Amino acid sequence: MSSLKKFLKKKNYLKVPLVLTATNHFEIVAKINGIAGRFILDTGASNTCVGLDKIEFFNLVSKESKIKAAGAGATNMETLISSKNNIEIGRWNAKKLKIVLFDLKHVNEALTTHKAFPVDGIIGADVLKKSKAVIDYKSSCVYFKQKGSK
């Protein structure tokens, strides 16, 4: 039987490495609007998110949002929304990405308490679905489907 890597390569998937953190999260490097940052890969997050403190860093244009964020012990958090952003993860990219912006202080405090590095944001299920992502837990990598291939 062919390996997962060979199978996905034949199906035009791109391999991107993941780093397993001290908190047992997978971390990934992504570029938002051409600026590289550190993100948690989170299959349970419905949207890709960036911390409010990183709006200028990633050149995000934001507006008010009615969405309330919840996660990592915090609930009902106010958010902003930023549309029409470019994202690059490895050689995979997408345009016009909507990003939810909220205070990630509680997330980063939890990470640093456990000797992990703080993150700039979260790559959520929106990107994972759009890219037809396949996570290879054994090899600590994720595969994204190249655009234009079936």
Side-chain angles (χ1 to χ4, degrees), residues 82-96:
S82 180
S83 301
K84 299 180 182 173
N85 297 289
N86 297 324
I87 185 169
E88 298 171 58
I89 304 174
R91 292 180 296 149
W92 181 87
N93 65 73
K95 298 182 185 325
K96 299 181 181 177

Side-chain angles (χ1 to χ4, degrees), residues 8-146:
L8 292 174
K9 187 174 181 179
K10 287 179 187 175
K11 298 288 184 183
N12 294 315
Y13 275 78
L14 304 167
K15 181 180 178 180
V16 178
L18 298 170
V19 174
L20 188 62
T21 69
T23 57
N24 223 19
H25 290 95
F26 275 124
E27 196 175 273
I28 192 166
V29 173
K31 287 184 180 179
I32 305 285
N33 300 326
I35 316 284
R38 177 183 286 123
F39 295 82
I40 288 175
L41 187 73
D42 188 347
T43 60
S46 54
N47 294 293
T48 293
C49 308
V50 167
L52 288 171
D53 61 330
K54 299 295 181 174
I55 291 173
E56 289 181 21
F57 180 76
F58 288 114
N59 300 317
L60 302 170
V61 177
S62 61
K63 62 181 181 180
E64 289 185 21
S65 170
K66 293 180 181 175
I67 297 171
K68 298 287 184 190
T75 59
N76 213 26
M77 293 179 290
E78 297 293 327
T79 65
L80 297 174
I81 196 87
S82 180
S83 301
K84 299 180 182 173
N85 297 289
N86 297 324
I87 185 169
E88 298 171 58
I89 304 174
R91 292 180 296 149
W92 181 87
N93 65 73
K95 298 182 185 325
K96 299 181 181 177
L97 177 70
K98 179 181 75 173
I99 297 174
V100 174
L101 308 166
F102 70 101
D103 188 353
L104 288 176
K105 185 178 177 183
H106 64 287
V107 171
N108 283 323
E109 283 177 357
L111 291 170
T112 56
T113 296
H114 290 90
K115 309 285 190 266
F117 292 108
V119 294
D120 300 308
I122 298 163
I123 301 298
D126 56 341
V127 167
L128 297 173
K129 285 170 56 179
K130 184 176 198 145
S131 65
K132 300 180 181 174
V134 176
I135 301 170
D136 183 347
Y137 290 92
K138 182 178 179 185
S139 299
S140 294
C141 64
V142 61
Y143 295 89
F144 294 109
K145 182 86 165 174
Q146 286 190 66

